[in-house]
Amino acid sequence: MTRLFLQSGMPGEPGAGSEVDEAVLIARARDGDRDAQEQLIRRYADDVYRLTARLLQDRDLAQDAAQDTFVNAIHGLSRFRGDASFRTWLLRIAVNAAKTLGRRQTRRREISIDAAESEPDGDRDIAEVAAQRTEAAKLDALLHRLPPKQRNAVILRVQAGLSYAEIGEAIDCSEGSARVNYHLGIKRLRELAGE
């Protein structure tokens, strides 16, 4: 399958049509407008990839999950009702795609320790980069010791900056439950870090 990222740009690349109203893009994309679909992909590629990378801890799997997210979203645009923001709807699809690939990966036990962070800047010190990657790997290891709903709530709140209502929508629970999962996850992370 050809990667959407190769056609539309890698995560982090600025979207060419970001000034176009999202509702207009969604309507055009529903009607099969490939340019509108690609603009939506470019607009959210970074958010989706970073989320799947954090959830899966494997760059290749994360890219596959992001690819699956956009394929499912484009094919399922008719199901987007607008009850939540498009971004929240898309991140929920990403969480589900990551879960599906994660289950397959768990069966194979090929999980990488490498944290899916952005490439280091050329002018940063190598020791600093190594220390940051070590810390990121430790945090990822701690995150993956949390129950799935707590882990997802923490990641969606901290990394994606979602509100509790949006987190609830993304992980299929109430806003109150999302808040509780987030706070329990943070509390458990502190306990785990102190071990």
Side-chain angles (χ1 to χ4, degrees):
M1 178 188 314
T2 304
R3 291 199 185 274
L4 289 173
F5 295 123
L6 297 177
Q7 296 169 356
S8 304
M10 289 300 291
E13 179 179 293
S18 58
E19 69 281 350
V20 177
D21 181 65
E22 186 174 272
V24 172
L25 280 178
I26 293 168
R28 286 179 33 212
R30 275 187 180 139
D31 291 338
D33 182 331
R34 301 268 305 155
D35 183 56
Q37 292 170 356
E38 289 177 9
Q39 286 184 48
L40 284 171
I41 291 168
R42 278 193 301 269
R43 186 175 283 188
Y44 294 105
D46 188 49
D47 289 343
V48 168
Y49 175 76
R50 284 184 18 218
L51 174 61
T52 58
R54 180 65 70 184
L55 292 172
L56 293 167
Q57 293 187 314
D58 181 286
R59 289 179 183 176
D60 292 332
L61 274 180
Q63 197 168 30
D64 289 345
Q67 168 85 10
D68 291 349
T69 298
F70 287 112
V71 168
N72 292 336
I74 296 301
H75 289 302
L77 269 175
S78 62
R79 292 189 306 271
F80 175 65
R81 296 184 313 266
D83 296 340
S85 73
F86 182 75
R87 180 176 182 260
T88 300
W89 180 76
L90 194 59
L91 291 179
R92 180 174 183 169
I93 294 170
V95 167
N96 290 336
K99 281 182 188 176
T100 299
L101 284 176
R103 281 192 291 265
R104 286 185 208 148
Q105 185 66 6
T106 299
R107 285 184 216 132
R108 290 188 217 139
R109 302 313 275 163
E110 298 171 356
I111 297 174
S112 170
I113 297 174
D114 185 23
E117 296 294 325
S118 61
E119 292 301 314
D121 294 336
D123 49 334
R124 288 200 308 181
D125 181 61
I126 269 232
E128 178 186 343
V129 171
Q132 288 176 348
R133 285 192 176 169
T134 300
E135 287 303 310
K138 287 178 185 176
L139 177 59
D140 282 340
L142 292 178
L143 277 169
H144 282 274
R145 290 177 64 187
L146 295 177
K149 281 202 174 184
Q150 289 178 15
R151 177 178 59 240
N152 293 341
V154 169
I155 290 169
L156 289 168
R157 180 78 173 160
V158 172
Q159 182 181 347
L162 296 183
S163 70
Y164 294 116
E166 290 171 321
I167 293 168
E169 183 71 29
I171 64 174
D172 198 25
C173 67
S174 70
E175 179 179 348
S177 181
R179 184 182 306 271
V180 168
N181 277 303
Y182 169 76
H183 288 291
L184 288 174
I186 293 295
K187 180 181 177 187
R188 183 66 181 137
L189 281 174
R190 287 184 182 130
E191 291 169 358
L192 292 170
E195 287 181 352

